Amino acid sequence: MRRRQEAILRLAKIRTRPNAYLCRQCLHKRLASTATAIADPAQAGPIEPPPSGRALPQSTPSTSLRTTHSIKASVLLSRPPMLTRSLTPFEKAFFLYQKRLNERLALPFTRYFYYQKGTPGDVEWKQKIRERLTPARDIGRYNAYGKEGWNDEVLVGAQEAEPENQLEALVRDAEVEVKEEEGEEGAARGQQEVKTEAVQRPMPRVTEADRVGDTKSLDRRLERTLYLVVKEGKERGGRWWFPSDGLMGKESLHTATERIIVHAGGVNMNTWVVGNIPLGHFVLNYGTQEAKLVPQETQEIRGEKLFFMKGRIMAGQANLTDNKLGLTDFQWLAKDEIQTLLTPRDWNAVKLILAER
């Protein structure tokens, strides 16, 4: 038997029944020397069958499919809050207490520095100060320098701390009464008609879209972040989800997100894709029946890897007419509203990504 054949048998014997008395270093040296003898072309020769008569197994190329996942991008297109959140009862009481405390610590209001004695402004000031007892207009009836000045905390159930009550007080203080004579006969008799000039009121926090329940309007729930949620076609199960699509060619996630926004909502939206790094990802594994074979390739699509990208809308509105993703409907919803539409599996994938307000 030639040297090459003996080396092969010795290598097989070492791999199957390693010597318990050899240390790791000696075992590696024996394997290295055996591999050198095998790789020596001068000693190479025809391989003869082993004495047992069994032929060595022949290596055959593998024909098994390589499993992979399709890469998709999904955009979380949002409208940020337009108003600050509503105050809690504790915060309302605290801010009113701070205003009343400031009246106690500040110097008294110098009336004659602002109103000359006997002028209409001075008369109006005297009338208002008799009603509220304080120069401040939005802290209720309170005298910081009287005997009850120490009692500056809000009582339970008091309306002075409510923003609506303070707004009405400010508007009422800004109204100006104008006296006009009632015709020639009224002028001769000295009769005058008192009119109040209207003051422009602030816009309400609750909009018309909130009252009618228009979920397609961006002018709703101004205190919360709204996300664009679309309804997919029947070929995709008709579920509610965020606009998403697979990557085309070598495009990046950022470029794919910009394309998805245009293909889903049209070009009448002024949007901004924030950054190149996704907010999160979601891996969906298909079942046996859902697996797909890639044509002319030894690949099997066993699932999806979905990457969520952050986007902002500054102006415009979504329009699904002639969209290229097969979408049928859309809504602008807050986080708590999205939970009622998504399946438990989809909700678990995005619940930690969406903003609370």
Side-chain angles (χ1 to χ4, degrees), residues 302-346:
R302 300 302 302 270
E304 301 176 358
K305 289 185 178 180
L306 189 63
F307 294 88
F308 299 101
M309 301 293 291
K310 182 179 180 180
R312 291 289 198 189
I313 179 172
M314 276 75 74
Q317 177 59 286
N319 184 8
L320 300 188
T321 305
D322 300 330
N323 72 88
K324 299 181 181 180
L325 301 181
L327 308 177
T328 59
D329 198 2
F330 75 95
Q331 297 184 77
W332 291 97
L333 304 177
K335 181 177 181 179
D336 56 339
E337 298 171 326
I338 294 176
Q339 183 179 4
T340 60
L341 288 182
L342 302 185
T343 61
R345 181 192 64 183
D346 296 340

mmCIF file of all heavy atoms in Angstrom, residues 302-346:
data_model
loop_
_atom_site.group_PDB
_atom_site.id
_atom_site.type_symbol
_atom_site.label_atom_id
_atom_site.label_comp_id
_atom_site.label_asym_id
_atom_site.label_seq_id
_atom_site.Cartn_x
_atom_site.Cartn_y
_atom_site.Cartn_z
ATOM 1 N N ARG A 302 -39.000 32.308 2.425
ATOM 2 C CA ARG A 302 -39.687 31.737 3.573
ATOM 3 C C ARG A 302 -40.308 32.796 4.479
ATOM 4 O O ARG A 302 -40.888 32.449 5.504
ATOM 5 C CB ARG A 302 -38.711 30.888 4.395
ATOM 6 C CG ARG A 302 -38.094 29.742 3.629
ATOM 7 C CD ARG A 302 -39.166 28.803 3.078
ATOM 8 N NE ARG A 302 -39.996 28.260 4.121
ATOM 9 C CZ ARG A 302 -39.723 27.123 4.760
ATOM 10 N NH1 ARG A 302 -38.652 26.433 4.436
ATOM 11 N NH2 ARG A 302 -40.533 26.674 5.697
ATOM 12 N N GLY A 303 -40.184 34.086 4.145
ATOM 13 C CA GLY A 303 -40.765 35.115 4.984
ATOM 14 C C GLY A 303 -40.391 36.510 4.522
ATOM 15 O O GLY A 303 -39.835 36.707 3.431
ATOM 16 N N GLU A 304 -40.721 37.503 5.360
ATOM 17 C CA GLU A 304 -40.441 38.896 5.079
ATOM 18 C C GLU A 304 -39.681 39.522 6.247
ATOM 19 O O GLU A 304 -39.918 39.180 7.405
ATOM 20 C CB GLU A 304 -41.738 39.689 4.859
ATOM 21 C CG GLU A 304 -42.603 39.181 3.729
ATOM 22 C CD GLU A 304 -43.910 39.948 3.646
ATOM 23 O OE1 GLU A 304 -44.120 40.846 4.506
ATOM 24 O OE2 GLU A 304 -44.720 39.656 2.751
ATOM 25 N N LYS A 305 -38.797 40.440 5.904
ATOM 26 C CA LYS A 305 -38.124 41.277 6.887
ATOM 27 C C LYS A 305 -38.520 42.721 6.584
ATOM 28 O O LYS A 305 -38.096 43.296 5.581
ATOM 29 C CB LYS A 305 -36.616 41.094 6.844
ATOM 30 C CG LYS A 305 -36.154 39.742 7.381
ATOM 31 C CD LYS A 305 -34.650 39.639 7.445
ATOM 32 C CE LYS A 305 -34.208 38.291 8.045
ATOM 33 N NZ LYS A 305 -32.739 38.185 8.118
ATOM 34 N N LEU A 306 -39.359 43.280 7.464
ATOM 35 C CA LEU A 306 -39.943 44.598 7.249
ATOM 36 C C LEU A 306 -39.245 45.614 8.145
ATOM 37 O O LEU A 306 -39.167 45.428 9.363
ATOM 38 C CB LEU A 306 -41.443 44.558 7.555
ATOM 39 C CG LEU A 306 -42.274 45.768 7.208
ATOM 40 C CD1 LEU A 306 -42.267 46.005 5.712
ATOM 41 C CD2 LEU A 306 -43.699 45.594 7.717
ATOM 42 N N PHE A 307 -38.752 46.701 7.541
ATOM 43 C CA PHE A 307 -38.053 47.753 8.260
ATOM 44 C C PHE A 307 -38.923 49.013 8.262
ATOM 45 O O PHE A 307 -39.365 49.466 7.207
ATOM 46 C CB PHE A 307 -36.691 48.043 7.623
ATOM 47 C CG PHE A 307 -35.721 46.908 7.739
ATOM 48 C CD1 PHE A 307 -35.673 45.909 6.780
ATOM 49 C CD2 PHE A 307 -34.864 46.822 8.823
ATOM 50 C CE1 PHE A 307 -34.791 44.846 6.890
ATOM 51 C CE2 PHE A 307 -33.970 45.768 8.943
ATOM 52 C CZ PHE A 307 -33.934 44.777 7.984
ATOM 53 N N PHE A 308 -39.163 49.573 9.463
ATOM 54 C CA PHE A 308 -40.029 50.741 9.618
ATOM 55 C C PHE A 308 -39.179 52.009 9.585
ATOM 56 O O PHE A 308 -38.250 52.170 10.371
ATOM 57 C CB PHE A 308 -40.794 50.666 10.944
ATOM 58 C CG PHE A 308 -41.691 49.465 11.048
ATOM 59 C CD1 PHE A 308 -41.301 48.358 11.785
ATOM 60 C CD2 PHE A 308 -42.915 49.431 10.411
ATOM 61 C CE1 PHE A 308 -42.118 47.249 11.898
ATOM 62 C CE2 PHE A 308 -43.738 48.327 10.507
ATOM 63 C CZ PHE A 308 -43.339 47.233 11.250
ATOM 64 N N MET A 309 -39.554 52.928 8.670
ATOM 65 C CA MET A 309 -38.871 54.211 8.520
ATOM 66 C C MET A 309 -39.785 55.336 8.987
ATOM 67 O O MET A 309 -41.002 55.278 8.824
ATOM 68 C CB MET A 309 -38.468 54.434 7.057
ATOM 69 C CG MET A 309 -37.549 53.364 6.497
ATOM 70 S SD MET A 309 -35.922 53.376 7.265
ATOM 71 C CE MET A 309 -35.276 54.918 6.621
ATOM 72 N N LYS A 310 -39.196 56.364 9.580
ATOM 73 C CA LYS A 310 -39.954 57.490 10.124
ATOM 74 C C LYS A 310 -40.115 58.575 9.079
ATOM 75 O O LYS A 310 -39.163 58.936 8.383
ATOM 76 C CB LYS A 310 -39.241 58.049 11.355
ATOM 77 C CG LYS A 310 -39.969 59.203 12.022
ATOM 78 C CD LYS A 310 -39.215 59.683 13.239
ATOM 79 C CE LYS A 310 -39.939 60.839 13.930
ATOM 80 N NZ LYS A 310 -39.208 61.313 15.129
ATOM 81 N N GLY A 311 -41.344 59.101 8.959
ATOM 82 C CA GLY A 311 -41.634 60.184 8.028
ATOM 83 C C GLY A 311 -42.528 61.225 8.665
ATOM 84 O O GLY A 311 -43.280 60.934 9.599
ATOM 85 N N ARG A 312 -42.458 62.455 8.161
ATOM 86 C CA ARG A 312 -43.286 63.560 8.642
ATOM 87 C C ARG A 312 -44.029 64.171 7.459
ATOM 88 O O ARG A 312 -43.482 64.285 6.358
ATOM 89 C CB ARG A 312 -42.437 64.645 9.300
ATOM 90 C CG ARG A 312 -41.813 64.249 10.619
ATOM 91 C CD ARG A 312 -42.832 64.139 11.722
ATOM 92 N NE ARG A 312 -42.213 64.165 13.037
ATOM 93 C CZ ARG A 312 -42.848 63.913 14.158
ATOM 94 N NH1 ARG A 312 -44.130 63.617 14.147
ATOM 95 N NH2 ARG A 312 -42.214 63.949 15.324
ATOM 96 N N ILE A 313 -45.268 64.594 7.697
ATOM 97 C CA ILE A 313 -46.025 65.330 6.703
ATOM 98 C C ILE A 313 -46.162 66.759 7.177
ATOM 99 O O ILE A 313 -46.581 67.015 8.311
ATOM 100 C CB ILE A 313 -47.402 64.682 6.437
ATOM 101 C CG1 ILE A 313 -48.181 65.513 5.409
ATOM 102 C CG2 ILE A 313 -48.193 64.488 7.715
ATOM 103 C CD1 ILE A 313 -49.448 64.858 4.933
ATOM 104 N N MET A 314 -45.778 67.718 6.327
ATOM 105 C CA MET A 314 -45.851 69.132 6.669
ATOM 106 C C MET A 314 -47.070 69.817 6.070
ATOM 107 O O MET A 314 -47.596 70.769 6.635
ATOM 108 C CB MET A 314 -44.588 69.854 6.208
ATOM 109 C CG MET A 314 -43.432 69.775 7.170
ATOM 110 S SD MET A 314 -42.617 68.171 7.183
ATOM 111 C CE MET A 314 -41.718 68.250 5.635
ATOM 112 N N ALA A 315 -47.514 69.358 4.909
ATOM 113 C CA ALA A 315 -48.660 69.964 4.244
ATOM 114 C C ALA A 315 -49.228 68.945 3.269
ATOM 115 O O ALA A 315 -48.600 67.941 2.933
ATOM 116 C CB ALA A 315 -48.263 71.257 3.527
ATOM 117 N N GLY A 316 -50.450 69.233 2.801
ATOM 118 C CA GLY A 316 -51.082 68.359 1.817
ATOM 119 C C GLY A 316 -51.948 67.295 2.462
ATOM 120 O O GLY A 316 -52.215 67.302 3.661
ATOM 121 N N GLN A 317 -52.374 66.360 1.623
ATOM 122 C CA GLN A 317 -53.263 65.295 2.057
ATOM 123 C C GLN A 317 -53.052 64.077 1.162
ATOM 124 O O GLN A 317 -52.658 64.197 0.006
ATOM 125 C CB GLN A 317 -54.722 65.749 1.994
ATOM 126 C CG GLN A 317 -55.759 64.716 2.363
ATOM 127 C CD GLN A 317 -55.606 64.178 3.766
ATOM 128 O OE1 GLN A 317 -54.698 63.389 4.024
ATOM 129 N NE2 GLN A 317 -56.490 64.592 4.675
ATOM 130 N N ALA A 318 -53.295 62.893 1.725
ATOM 131 C CA ALA A 318 -53.142 61.660 0.955
ATOM 132 C C ALA A 318 -54.271 61.520 -0.057
ATOM 133 O O ALA A 318 -55.416 61.896 0.210
ATOM 134 C CB ALA A 318 -53.114 60.458 1.903
ATOM 135 N N ASN A 319 -53.939 60.956 -1.202
ATOM 136 C CA ASN A 319 -54.915 60.718 -2.267
ATOM 137 C C ASN A 319 -54.617 59.360 -2.872
ATOM 138 O O ASN A 319 -53.584 59.165 -3.516
ATOM 139 C CB ASN A 319 -54.837 61.821 -3.318
ATOM 140 C CG ASN A 319 -55.902 61.663 -4.394
ATOM 141 O OD1 ASN A 319 -56.789 60.819 -4.272
ATOM 142 N ND2 ASN A 319 -55.828 62.472 -5.432
ATOM 143 N N LEU A 320 -55.510 58.397 -2.653
ATOM 144 C CA LEU A 320 -55.277 57.029 -3.118
ATOM 145 C C LEU A 320 -55.700 56.793 -4.555
ATOM 146 O O LEU A 320 -55.609 55.666 -5.043
ATOM 147 C CB LEU A 320 -56.026 56.045 -2.209
ATOM 148 C CG LEU A 320 -55.642 56.053 -0.733
ATOM 149 C CD1 LEU A 320 -56.314 54.903 -0.014
ATOM 150 C CD2 LEU A 320 -54.137 55.981 -0.550
ATOM 151 N N THR A 321 -56.146 57.827 -5.250
ATOM 152 C CA THR A 321 -56.531 57.663 -6.643
ATOM 153 C C THR A 321 -55.304 57.284 -7.482
ATOM 154 O O THR A 321 -54.276 57.949 -7.426
ATOM 155 C CB THR A 321 -57.148 58.958 -7.186
ATOM 156 O OG1 THR A 321 -58.247 59.337 -6.332
ATOM 157 C CG2 THR A 321 -57.646 58.762 -8.602
ATOM 158 N N ASP A 322 -55.425 56.213 -8.218
ATOM 159 C CA ASP A 322 -54.346 55.708 -9.097
ATOM 160 C C ASP A 322 -53.098 55.331 -8.300
ATOM 161 O O ASP A 322 -51.964 55.459 -8.794
ATOM 162 C CB ASP A 322 -53.969 56.741 -10.164
ATOM 163 C CG ASP A 322 -55.143 57.093 -11.060
ATOM 164 O OD1 ASP A 322 -56.005 56.206 -11.264
ATOM 165 O OD2 ASP A 322 -55.211 58.243 -11.535
ATOM 166 N N ASN A 323 -53.267 54.878 -7.063
ATOM 167 C CA ASN A 323 -52.089 54.437 -6.320
ATOM 168 C C ASN A 323 -51.593 53.102 -6.886
ATOM 169 O O ASN A 323 -52.364 52.310 -7.420
ATOM 170 C CB ASN A 323 -52.415 54.305 -4.831
ATOM 171 C CG ASN A 323 -53.288 53.113 -4.515
ATOM 172 O OD1 ASN A 323 -52.805 52.003 -4.289
ATOM 173 N ND2 ASN A 323 -54.617 53.318 -4.509
ATOM 174 N N LYS A 324 -50.306 52.854 -6.750
ATOM 175 C CA LYS A 324 -49.665 51.698 -7.369
ATOM 176 C C LYS A 324 -49.485 50.520 -6.416
ATOM 177 O O LYS A 324 -48.838 49.534 -6.778
ATOM 178 C CB LYS A 324 -48.296 52.115 -7.919
ATOM 179 C CG LYS A 324 -48.380 53.201 -8.979
ATOM 180 C CD LYS A 324 -47.015 53.556 -9.508
ATOM 181 C CE LYS A 324 -47.116 54.659 -10.562
ATOM 182 N NZ LYS A 324 -45.776 55.028 -11.115
ATOM 183 N N LEU A 325 -50.038 50.625 -5.221
ATOM 184 C CA LEU A 325 -49.885 49.549 -4.240
ATOM 185 C C LEU A 325 -51.186 48.795 -3.994
ATOM 186 O O LEU A 325 -51.232 47.950 -3.098
ATOM 187 C CB LEU A 325 -49.351 50.116 -2.920
ATOM 188 C CG LEU A 325 -48.004 50.844 -2.985
ATOM 189 C CD1 LEU A 325 -47.601 51.333 -1.610
ATOM 190 C CD2 LEU A 325 -46.932 49.940 -3.573
ATOM 191 N N GLY A 326 -52.218 49.112 -4.736
ATOM 192 C CA GLY A 326 -53.487 48.409 -4.579
ATOM 193 C C GLY A 326 -54.221 48.759 -3.291
ATOM 194 O O GLY A 326 -54.964 47.916 -2.766
ATOM 195 N N LEU A 327 -54.074 49.965 -2.799
ATOM 196 C CA LEU A 327 -54.721 50.374 -1.553
ATOM 197 C C LEU A 327 -56.136 50.855 -1.839
ATOM 198 O O LEU A 327 -56.410 51.447 -2.884
ATOM 199 C CB LEU A 327 -53.910 51.481 -0.877
ATOM 200 C CG LEU A 327 -52.422 51.186 -0.662
ATOM 201 C CD1 LEU A 327 -51.710 52.377 -0.063
ATOM 202 C CD2 LEU A 327 -52.245 49.953 0.209
ATOM 203 N N THR A 328 -57.034 50.641 -0.883
ATOM 204 C CA THR A 328 -58.446 50.975 -1.074
ATOM 205 C C THR A 328 -58.944 52.068 -0.134
ATOM 206 O O THR A 328 -59.964 52.685 -0.422
ATOM 207 C CB THR A 328 -59.311 49.719 -0.894
ATOM 208 O OG1 THR A 328 -59.099 49.190 0.433
ATOM 209 C CG2 THR A 328 -58.936 48.659 -1.916
ATOM 210 N N ASP A 329 -58.295 52.315 0.977
ATOM 211 C CA ASP A 329 -58.789 53.308 1.933
ATOM 212 C C ASP A 329 -57.631 53.748 2.825
ATOM 213 O O ASP A 329 -56.597 53.064 2.903
ATOM 214 C CB ASP A 329 -59.925 52.728 2.774
ATOM 215 C CG ASP A 329 -60.756 53.814 3.445
ATOM 216 O OD1 ASP A 329 -60.466 55.008 3.214
ATOM 217 O OD2 ASP A 329 -61.687 53.478 4.204
ATOM 218 N N PHE A 330 -57.808 54.882 3.502
ATOM 219 C CA PHE A 330 -56.780 55.380 4.418
ATOM 220 C C PHE A 330 -57.445 56.119 5.566
ATOM 221 O O PHE A 330 -58.587 56.585 5.475
ATOM 222 C CB PHE A 330 -55.791 56.300 3.695
ATOM 223 C CG PHE A 330 -56.330 57.671 3.397
ATOM 224 C CD1 PHE A 330 -56.095 58.742 4.269
ATOM 225 C CD2 PHE A 330 -57.084 57.914 2.260
ATOM 226 C CE1 PHE A 330 -56.590 59.998 4.006
ATOM 227 C CE2 PHE A 330 -57.585 59.174 1.988
ATOM 228 C CZ PHE A 330 -57.330 60.220 2.859
ATOM 229 N N GLN A 331 -56.695 56.254 6.672
ATOM 230 C CA GLN A 331 -57.131 57.002 7.851
ATOM 231 C C GLN A 331 -55.912 57.603 8.536
ATOM 232 O O GLN A 331 -54.805 57.072 8.426
ATOM 233 C CB GLN A 331 -57.882 56.100 8.850
ATOM 234 C CG GLN A 331 -59.166 55.494 8.335
ATOM 235 C CD GLN A 331 -59.886 54.704 9.409
ATOM 236 O OE1 GLN A 331 -60.526 55.258 10.290
ATOM 237 N NE2 GLN A 331 -59.756 53.387 9.354
ATOM 238 N N TRP A 332 -56.151 58.720 9.236
ATOM 239 C CA TRP A 332 -55.131 59.317 10.097
ATOM 240 C C TRP A 332 -55.537 59.033 11.534
ATOM 241 O O TRP A 332 -56.526 59.599 12.028
ATOM 242 C CB TRP A 332 -55.009 60.818 9.852
ATOM 243 C CG TRP A 332 -54.436 61.176 8.519
ATOM 244 C CD1 TRP A 332 -55.120 61.506 7.389
ATOM 245 C CD2 TRP A 332 -53.051 61.229 8.176
ATOM 246 N NE1 TRP A 332 -54.258 61.768 6.358
ATOM 247 C CE2 TRP A 332 -52.969 61.608 6.803
ATOM 248 C CE3 TRP A 332 -51.863 61.001 8.872
ATOM 249 C CZ2 TRP A 332 -51.761 61.757 6.143
ATOM 250 C CZ3 TRP A 332 -50.657 61.158 8.205
ATOM 251 C CH2 TRP A 332 -50.611 61.531 6.868
ATOM 252 N N LEU A 333 -54.795 58.169 12.212
ATOM 253 C CA LEU A 333 -55.198 57.670 13.517
ATOM 254 C C LEU A 333 -54.083 57.854 14.543
ATOM 255 O O LEU A 333 -52.896 57.866 14.196
ATOM 256 C CB LEU A 333 -55.576 56.184 13.449
ATOM 257 C CG LEU A 333 -56.671 55.800 12.442
ATOM 258 C CD1 LEU A 333 -56.874 54.301 12.443
ATOM 259 C CD2 LEU A 333 -57.969 56.530 12.747
ATOM 260 N N ALA A 334 -54.504 57.982 15.803
ATOM 261 C CA ALA A 334 -53.564 58.015 16.920
ATOM 262 C C ALA A 334 -53.229 56.587 17.346
ATOM 263 O O ALA A 334 -53.792 55.615 16.846
ATOM 264 C CB ALA A 334 -54.150 58.810 18.089
ATOM 265 N N LYS A 335 -52.309 56.469 18.282
ATOM 266 C CA LYS A 335 -51.821 55.146 18.681
ATOM 267 C C LYS A 335 -52.925 54.281 19.257
ATOM 268 O O LYS A 335 -53.033 53.095 18.905
ATOM 269 C CB LYS A 335 -50.691 55.308 19.699
ATOM 270 C CG LYS A 335 -50.087 53.990 20.156
ATOM 271 C CD LYS A 335 -48.937 54.199 21.109
ATOM 272 C CE LYS A 335 -48.331 52.872 21.546
ATOM 273 N NZ LYS A 335 -47.183 53.056 22.456
ATOM 274 N N ASP A 336 -53.768 54.843 20.120
ATOM 275 C CA ASP A 336 -54.826 54.036 20.715
ATOM 276 C C ASP A 336 -55.868 53.596 19.697
ATOM 277 O O ASP A 336 -56.489 52.550 19.850
ATOM 278 C CB ASP A 336 -55.482 54.809 21.853
ATOM 279 C CG ASP A 336 -56.001 56.162 21.395
ATOM 280 O OD1 ASP A 336 -55.525 56.663 20.361
ATOM 281 O OD2 ASP A 336 -56.882 56.721 22.078
ATOM 282 N N GLU A 337 -56.054 54.390 18.637
ATOM 283 C CA GLU A 337 -57.001 54.007 17.590
ATOM 284 C C GLU A 337 -56.417 52.945 16.669
ATOM 285 O O GLU A 337 -57.153 52.098 16.139
ATOM 286 C CB GLU A 337 -57.407 55.240 16.787
ATOM 287 C CG GLU A 337 -58.115 56.293 17.603
ATOM 288 C CD GLU A 337 -58.316 57.591 16.833
ATOM 289 O OE1 GLU A 337 -57.442 57.932 16.008
ATOM 290 O OE2 GLU A 337 -59.328 58.271 17.054
ATOM 291 N N ILE A 338 -55.107 52.989 16.465
ATOM 292 C CA ILE A 338 -54.458 51.990 15.606
ATOM 293 C C ILE A 338 -54.555 50.607 16.229
ATOM 294 O O ILE A 338 -54.703 49.597 15.522
ATOM 295 C CB ILE A 338 -52.994 52.393 15.348
ATOM 296 C CG1 ILE A 338 -52.932 53.686 14.529
ATOM 297 C CG2 ILE A 338 -52.234 51.284 14.635
ATOM 298 C CD1 ILE A 338 -51.532 54.212 14.319
ATOM 299 N N GLN A 339 -54.480 50.527 17.531
ATOM 300 C CA GLN A 339 -54.527 49.231 18.208
ATOM 301 C C GLN A 339 -55.828 48.486 17.920
ATOM 302 O O GLN A 339 -55.846 47.257 17.850
ATOM 303 C CB GLN A 339 -54.352 49.421 19.711
ATOM 304 C CG GLN A 339 -54.307 48.123 20.497
ATOM 305 C CD GLN A 339 -54.112 48.357 21.972
ATOM 306 O OE1 GLN A 339 -54.077 49.503 22.427
ATOM 307 N NE2 GLN A 339 -53.977 47.282 22.732
ATOM 308 N N THR A 340 -56.928 49.220 17.737
ATOM 309 C CA THR A 340 -58.216 48.569 17.479
ATOM 310 C C THR A 340 -58.315 48.006 16.063
ATOM 311 O O THR A 340 -59.184 47.168 15.796
ATOM 312 C CB THR A 340 -59.353 49.571 17.704
ATOM 313 O OG1 THR A 340 -59.199 50.683 16.804
ATOM 314 C CG2 THR A 340 -59.324 50.094 19.128
ATOM 315 N N LEU A 341 -57.443 48.446 15.141
ATOM 316 C CA LEU A 341 -57.512 47.985 13.750
ATOM 317 C C LEU A 341 -56.547 46.840 13.459
ATOM 318 O O LEU A 341 -56.860 45.973 12.641
ATOM 319 C CB LEU A 341 -57.218 49.143 12.792
ATOM 320 C CG LEU A 341 -58.284 50.235 12.648
ATOM 321 C CD1 LEU A 341 -57.830 51.262 11.623
ATOM 322 C CD2 LEU A 341 -59.622 49.643 12.241
ATOM 323 N N LEU A 342 -55.385 46.839 14.099
ATOM 324 C CA LEU A 342 -54.359 45.861 13.767
ATOM 325 C C LEU A 342 -54.611 44.540 14.474
ATOM 326 O O LEU A 342 -55.260 44.480 15.516
ATOM 327 C CB LEU A 342 -52.973 46.384 14.149
ATOM 328 C CG LEU A 342 -52.523 47.706 13.516
ATOM 329 C CD1 LEU A 342 -51.088 48.005 13.903
ATOM 330 C CD2 LEU A 342 -52.694 47.688 12.006
ATOM 331 N N THR A 343 -54.066 43.492 13.887
ATOM 332 C CA THR A 343 -54.102 42.179 14.525
ATOM 333 C C THR A 343 -53.103 42.149 15.681
ATOM 334 O O THR A 343 -52.181 42.972 15.729
ATOM 335 C CB THR A 343 -53.747 41.090 13.514
ATOM 336 O OG1 THR A 343 -52.405 41.314 13.023
ATOM 337 C CG2 THR A 343 -54.714 41.112 12.326
ATOM 338 N N PRO A 344 -53.268 41.232 16.642
ATOM 339 C CA PRO A 344 -52.310 41.183 17.756
ATOM 340 C C PRO A 344 -50.867 41.007 17.300
ATOM 341 O O PRO A 344 -49.941 41.593 17.898
ATOM 342 C CB PRO A 344 -52.799 39.988 18.579
ATOM 343 C CG PRO A 344 -54.256 39.895 18.286
ATOM 344 C CD PRO A 344 -54.400 40.307 16.856
ATOM 345 N N ARG A 345 -50.637 40.237 16.239
ATOM 346 C CA ARG A 345 -49.263 40.050 15.752
ATOM 347 C C ARG A 345 -48.697 41.351 15.210
ATOM 348 O O ARG A 345 -47.557 41.733 15.512
ATOM 349 C CB ARG A 345 -49.257 38.979 14.662
ATOM 350 C CG ARG A 345 -47.872 38.687 14.087
ATOM 351 C CD ARG A 345 -47.983 37.832 12.832
ATOM 352 N NE ARG A 345 -48.687 38.548 11.785
ATOM 353 C CZ ARG A 345 -48.989 38.019 10.596
ATOM 354 N NH1 ARG A 345 -48.673 36.765 10.325
ATOM 355 N NH2 ARG A 345 -49.630 38.733 9.692
ATOM 356 N N ASP A 346 -49.482 42.088 14.411
ATOM 357 C CA ASP A 346 -49.001 43.353 13.853
ATOM 358 C C ASP A 346 -48.849 44.416 14.931
ATOM 359 O O ASP A 346 -47.914 45.219 14.889
ATOM 360 C CB ASP A 346 -49.959 43.831 12.768
ATOM 361 C CG ASP A 346 -50.008 42.886 11.576
ATOM 362 O OD1 ASP A 346 -49.058 42.102 11.412
ATOM 363 O OD2 ASP A 346 -50.998 42.933 10.822
#
